Amino acid sequence: MRVAVNAEQLFYGSPGGVGRYTAQLLTVLPQLFPGDEVVPFTARHRHTQVAATLDAAGVDPATRARAVVLNWPRPLLYRGWVSVGRPHLPGLPGAELVHAPSVAVPPHPRVPLVVTVHDTAAELFPETFPSRGRRFHHQGLAAAARRADLVLTVSTSAASEITAHSTIRPDRIRVIPNGVAPLRVAPARRLELLAARGLDGPPFVLWVGSLEPRKGVGTLVAAMARLRRRGGGPAAGVHLVLAGYPGWLDGDLAPAADLATLGGGLRQLGRVSEEELWALYGGASLFAFPSRHEGFGLPVLEAMSQGTPVVAADIPALREVAGGAARLVAPGDIDAWADALGDLLHDAGERRRMGQAGVAQAARFDVASTISGIRAAYCEVLGR
């Protein structure tokens, strides 16, 4: 089987979960199924940049050599695809199927088209997106409804949202959960990486993601500031570490008074390397994920895989993914978040219990199962 995959998400400044998903398609599919080949295609970039970006994602040389670079830059290409259905994809060498891993949906090619819709956040929370992003996601979802032979998504809650906010019927959707691929970091190396970031001292609560309004970072900052104002106990000296990409509408995500209260106890690391990310997951006392909405919530499982207890927002996707192994708190309820974080920071025994439960839960979501499920969907579309 030869599958063409849109690899453009890897070239974003903030590739996010869709970037992880795309990288796994490009790397794990040919590893699990040696007879299969992947043809990555991208918007217009320098060929040296394409090679370097695919190499950084772990793509093997044979797959990199098949990469097709289109003639249009991303903004014009994507706008044309979702709004007017132009330009058409060129011939993709020998591809039997095209997979769009996001709602950047190309015009229907000469071969079957599979589209992954990760969530419908722009439909549910339009105020958390800039106007251009709202329009793109709305048009992309509509394009998926018109063009896809099969739609994949990552959770049953996301599938319900898709059918509620588009014309995509349930019988056209296949739910294939994301998989966790932990990077093993030796304890000594973890300490070295944390020390390089100045995090080898006080314990810390970790958040990972893209800084954008629906991620609820302001709630977390406010809750940690409230704990700091209460004073005393183990929570008093705990730092808050934010790791991830700049997003959109992120200029005022936390009140100035709360930022001032945390002072040097708030560490904003920005983008971190893959090795640093897993060192942070493994070194944190707690992982906090207060999102107002997620299609899946992969960082929750990534933290769990390292035995780190998780406090997450009580929303459908995270209830589904966490499977009872996380402490769930209403999104936006600052007092409830402060109480949950404070309780767990005071209770080492409960943190250990939750850490063990989290490891077992994360083990249910392995990358091999994800890629095998995606390939089964390909075979279904191709009639094999």
Side-chain angles (χ1 to χ4, degrees):
M1 182 187 303
R2 181 174 275 203
V3 181
V5 176
N6 182 4
E8 183 61 24
Q9 188 72 25
L10 299 177
F11 294 80
Y12 277 78
S14 175
V18 179
R20 278 203 183 284
Y21 183 91
T22 302
Q24 289 172 2
L25 279 173
L26 297 177
T27 58
V28 181
L29 179 62
Q31 291 171 4
L32 286 180
F33 302 95
D36 292 354
E37 294 179 339
V38 179
V39 179
F41 62 94
T42 75
R44 189 175 71 199
H45 303 281
R46 295 187 308 277
H47 286 274
T48 53
Q49 183 185 4
V50 172
T53 300
L54 294 179
D55 181 56
V59 178
D60 66 78
T63 301
R64 293 202 304 270
R66 286 190 290 271
V68 174
V69 179
L70 306 181
N71 290 328
W72 291 43
R74 181 199 306 146
L76 293 177
L77 182 70
Y78 278 11
R79 196 179 313 152
W81 277 0
V82 301
S83 59
V84 298
R86 296 287 190 278
H88 288 294
L89 282 175
L92 298 167
E96 302 169 72
L97 178 144
V98 170
H99 188 167
S102 74
V103 293
V105 182
H108 203 296
R110 302 183 189 92
V111 296
L113 173 66
V114 172
V115 177
T116 301
V117 180
H118 294 264
D119 59 54
T120 60
E123 307 295 318
L124 290 164
F125 297 95
E127 72 282 0
T128 66
F129 287 77
S131 58
R132 181 179 297 178
R134 275 198 308 273
R135 185 166 58 252
F136 168 76
H137 283 87
H138 179 75
Q139 291 176 331
L141 185 60
R146 293 193 305 272
R147 300 171 190 162
D149 293 279
L150 200 64
V151 171
L152 310 184
T153 194
V154 293
S155 65
T156 57
S157 61
S160 297
E161 291 176 7
I162 292 166
T163 56
H165 295 279
S166 76
T167 60
I168 301 170
R169 302 185 311 273
D171 63 347
R172 293 176 60 202
I173 300 173
R174 302 292 179 269
V175 176
I176 304 169
N178 286 325
V180 182
L183 179 68
R184 301 195 181 279
V185 181
R189 177 60 175 160
R190 178 194 300 164
L191 289 174
E192 180 183 343
L193 291 166
L194 294 178
R197 291 282 191 170
L199 295 172
D200 55 338
F204 61 92
V205 173
L206 176 67
W207 172 88
V208 168
S210 298
L211 284 167
E212 54 184 270
R214 69 185 173 104
K215 297 297 184 177
V217 176
T219 297
L220 179 57
V221 171
M224 290 296 292
R226 197 154 296 183
L227 283 178
R228 181 66 61 90
R229 293 186 191 107
R230 289 175 184 174
V238 175
H239 286 190
L240 173 60
V241 175
L242 309 179
Y245 309 96
W248 50 81
L249 304 178
D250 62 349
D252 190 25
L253 291 179
D258 293 330
L259 295 173
T261 296
L262 292 177
L266 173 63
R267 298 291 309 280
Q268 299 186 64
L269 304 185
R271 185 171 184 170
V272 297
S273 70
E274 190 74 3
E275 194 179 28
E276 285 178 308
L277 173 66
W278 290 97
L280 289 165
Y281 279 139
S285 297
L286 291 175
F287 180 77
F289 204 63
S291 292
R292 294 168 60 189
H293 177 266
E294 293 288 335
F296 188 80
L298 185 59
V300 165
L301 289 176
E302 290 181 336
M304 285 181 173
S305 75
Q306 303 305 291
T308 300
V310 172
V311 183
D314 192 3
I315 58 176
L318 298 185
R319 286 197 294 272
E320 181 178 342
V321 167
R327 178 78 60 90
L328 299 180
V329 183
D333 188 334
I334 296 170
D335 282 330
W337 274 87
D339 291 343
L341 294 169
D343 288 348
L344 285 172
L345 289 169
H346 280 78
D347 192 340
E350 179 62 5
R351 292 201 306 275
R352 283 193 296 271
R353 187 200 68 77
M354 289 179 63
Q356 293 166 356
V359 168
Q361 177 66 6
R364 298 176 56 224
F365 295 83
D366 64 290
V367 171
S369 295
T370 299
I371 298 301
S372 296
I374 293 171
R375 189 181 187 275
Y378 295 164
C379 291
E380 178 184 355
V381 169
L382 293 171
R384 297 182 181 176

